[in-house]
Amino acid sequence: MTRVLIALTSHSQLGDTGRSTGFYAGEAAEPWTVFKNAGYDVELVSVAGGKPPVDGVDDADPDQKQFFAEADLDHTKTAAELTAGDYDAIFYAGGHGAMWDFPGAKDLASLAAGIYENGGVVAAVCHGPAGLVELKLSDGKYLVDGKNVAGFTNSEENAVGLTEVVPFLLADELTARGAIHHPAADFTDQVVTDGRLVTGQNPASARSTATAVTAVLDKN
């Protein structure tokens, strides 16, 4: 059976704003539903393990209802507890918390690099590509170097009023690592597939990013 990991942030504070953050519910729930409907075995991993903080919960959303009912969010594992060879893909869910702890999550980056180098898929949506900023392969190169990507844009960060709050601008950091960033209009569905790297721009792109992952996995 195809096995997929959804990676979640463990960071709960939105800078010094006094507001809380975490993973964005829809960006985990919609991919969870897509992958489950494809017949995949889906698991969760988080930076710190245990119960990760969540943002953007919509109690009326059917995908979120399914996700929170089925996913064992109280007992997520850390990347150090997992083995890359057991998984066919890893999907970094977004949420602003990812901007703080995904880049420095070395075990998570190592796990994702291993999945990729074993022929698997690495995917990320919205702020999830923060997990790609420091992700290097065994040859020392950044995974995103020379690759086409999507991710939360500078314009979108400005639109939500957090340009001065986040520790860096995601699109700029991806570009600095050699990625070719493809921004679409603010908050529209945008997915970029480059081989076995699949990235989406924002929450509106979560479902289609996951669907694109299934297309790549089905070809492999």
Side-chain angles (χ1 to χ4, degrees):
M1 177 181 283
T2 300
R3 299 181 70 187
V4 178
L5 272 174
I6 296 177
L8 306 174
T9 176
S10 296
H11 187 87
S12 63
Q13 296 302 311
L14 191 61
D16 57 5
T17 64
R19 292 156 57 189
S20 62
T21 186
F23 75 89
Y24 201 72
E27 294 172 27
E30 291 178 20
W32 175 277
T33 302
V34 169
F35 297 145
K36 284 285 189 177
N37 289 345
Y40 301 165
D41 181 27
V42 192
E43 298 175 35
L44 302 177
V45 60
S46 67
V47 175
K51 187 175 184 178
V54 61
D55 194 11
V57 175
D58 178 358
D59 293 329
D61 183 88
D63 290 326
Q64 292 190 28
K65 285 182 179 179
Q66 179 183 2
F67 174 71
F68 287 114
E70 295 178 355
D72 187 5
L73 277 164
D74 289 338
H75 306 98
T76 66
K77 291 184 177 178
T78 65
E81 298 175 82
L82 304 176
T83 302
D86 291 339
Y87 300 96
D88 300 287
I90 184 168
F91 186 103
Y92 286 87
H96 271 93
M99 295 288 284
W100 279 268
D101 66 354
F102 270 5
K106 293 181 179 179
D107 289 337
L108 190 57
S110 177
L111 180 68
I115 291 170
Y116 188 81
E117 294 191 316
N118 287 338
V121 176
V122 171
V125 69
C126 198
H127 289 94
L132 308 179
V133 167
E134 299 298 339
L135 201 170
K136 291 183 178 180
L137 302 176
S138 55
D139 62 4
K141 292 183 179 178
Y142 291 107
L143 170 61
V144 298
D145 189 7
K147 294 205 171 57
N148 298 286
V149 302
F152 207 64
T153 68
N154 292 356
S155 177
E156 288 171 326
E157 204 68 81
N158 183 63
V160 298
L162 294 173
T163 299
E164 303 302 324
V165 174
V166 291
F168 56 90
L169 289 174
L170 181 56
D172 290 354
E173 286 300 302
L174 291 169
T175 302
R177 300 298 189 266
I180 304 139
H181 182 249
H182 295 269
D186 287 1
F187 309 112
T188 58
D189 188 353
Q190 165 82 333
V191 179
V192 175
T193 300
D194 192 330
R196 290 179 289 106
L197 177 65
V198 182
T199 46
Q201 181 169 312
N202 47 39
S205 312
R207 187 184 310 278
S208 50
T209 303
T211 301
V213 170
T214 67
V216 177
L217 287 171
D218 288 347
K219 281 195 297 186
N220 278 1

